[in-house]
Amino acid sequence: MIIYLDGRYVPEEEAKVSVFDHGLLYGDGVFEGIRAYNGKIFQLEAHLERLYDSAKTLDLAVPISREEMAGVIRETLRKNNLTDAYIRPIVTRGRGDLGLDPRKCPKATVIVIAVEWGAMYGDLYEKGLSAVTVSVRRTPAEAMPPNVKSLNYLNNILAKIEANYKGGDEAIFFDTNGYVSEGSGDNIFVVKNGEIVTPPTLNNLRGITRLVVLDLARSLGITVREQNLGYYDLYSADEVFVTGTAAEVAPIRVIDGRIIGTGKPGPVTRQLMAGFKRVTETQGTP
Ligand code: PLP
């Protein structure tokens, strides 16, 4: 596997960063998860925008331009002969000392990894996922903004650990106000009486798949609303699904033991799963 690291394309074994890199010492950095479908990069501009906006929020200067980053992503795919891939650009604060001060880190580290990728949840797209709500709360907007896709994923990892112990395929976060926030790595939607409702995006990640799916739903004539949701809305929904670059559109069949709707992927979710597949086949940047 060939990795891009700070201006060079090197074999995986040679792709090494310093133990003084603040990405490692403090989780100080940002990343993206991007898909390529059939050789075309899906929603590349939106992902680059989020990467650079996340970096800006952390006052982290990315040493290459957006155009250069796009070129690196393409070249990493090409060097690895990948057409259906998951791409992971990472920008860390870079090498500093053991203190926190980012001024001691003169240059950010830039890494791009690309791996072959298929359907993340396998047969669960047909069966539906089991989900559990977790006690760990999504960071509120007044702390580290959850809109920043930072290298600090410990909340999400704690959520995942809790889901693993409880036997769930995915974790559902609440925010500190008690509203539904998102999944550990995806945004959440409920369907009630034919309408789609999803939480607003102050207290979760502004998912790019979320926006694609909202547009798709509107184009299919489905009413879409952004509204705060609680436990009641989850448990009493007709359908629940999550969206993400890795997960795509994935149906939830049970939450905390409550069977959602019929316990099978519902008609609206199915329609969006099929529609999303069409979108990934037709959109994308070569
Ligand atoms: N929420 C979190 C916490 C994530 O890590 C992700 C994945 O990127 C998402 C939501 C979904 O966002 P996107 O659709 O942009 O991949």
Side-chain angles (χ1 to χ4, degrees), residues 170-191:
E170 178 54 309
I172 300 173
F173 271 124
F174 285 75
D175 65 19
T176 47
N177 293 313
Y179 295 124
V180 175
S181 168
E182 61 182 334
S184 72
D186 32 56
N187 294 106
I188 190 157
F189 296 70
V190 307
V191 181

Side-chain angles (χ1 to χ4, degrees), residues 50 138 149 153 156 182 184-187 205 207-209 244-245:
R50 189 170 65 187
R138 191 70 165 105
K149 199 164 166 66
Y153 255 53
N156 309 59
E182 61 182 334
S184 72
D186 32 56
N187 294 106
L205 188 77
I208 290 162
T209 320
T245 295

Side-chain angles (χ1 to χ4, degrees), residues 14-138:
E14 290 171 32
K16 304 235 165 81
V17 294
S18 166
V19 292
F20 289 97
D21 194 301
H22 280 206
L24 172 68
L25 289 175
Y26 297 114
D28 185 355
V30 294
F31 75 103
E32 269 304 319
I34 311 176
R35 288 287 288 275
Y37 293 94
N38 202 16
K40 287 196 282 181
I41 307 168
F42 189 61
Q43 293 287 321
L44 177 60
E45 281 309 313
H47 284 285
L48 289 175
E49 183 171 356
R50 189 170 65 187
L51 182 69
Y52 282 74
D53 286 353
S54 289
K56 177 90 183 289
T57 309
L58 300 188
D59 199 25
L60 169 58
V62 185
I64 60 175
S65 69
R66 267 167 73 155
E67 293 68 35
E68 286 167 329
M69 183 69 84
V72 168
I73 288 170
R74 283 194 197 93
E75 189 59 14
T76 308
L77 285 175
R78 202 187 63 76
K79 286 205 184 309
N80 288 287
N81 273 323
L82 291 168
T83 50
D84 291 277
Y86 181 87
I87 308 151
R88 171 63 57 89
I90 304 161
V91 183
T92 80
R93 187 75 64 180
R95 190 180 187 286
D97 62 17
L98 289 180
L100 289 177
D101 195 343
R103 290 174 302 185
K104 302 275 180 61
C105 307
K107 191 162 178 285
T109 303
V110 181
I111 303 165
V112 176
I113 307 169
V115 296
E116 198 173 344
W117 195 265
M120 175 176 173
Y121 282 123
D123 63 351
L124 292 181
Y125 292 99
E126 271 308 306
K127 289 191 198 148
L129 280 72
S130 67
V132 292
T133 60
V134 293
S135 54
V136 56
R137 294 289 181 249
R138 191 70 165 105

Side-chain angles (χ1 to χ4, degrees), residues 33 171 283:
Q283 287 186 6

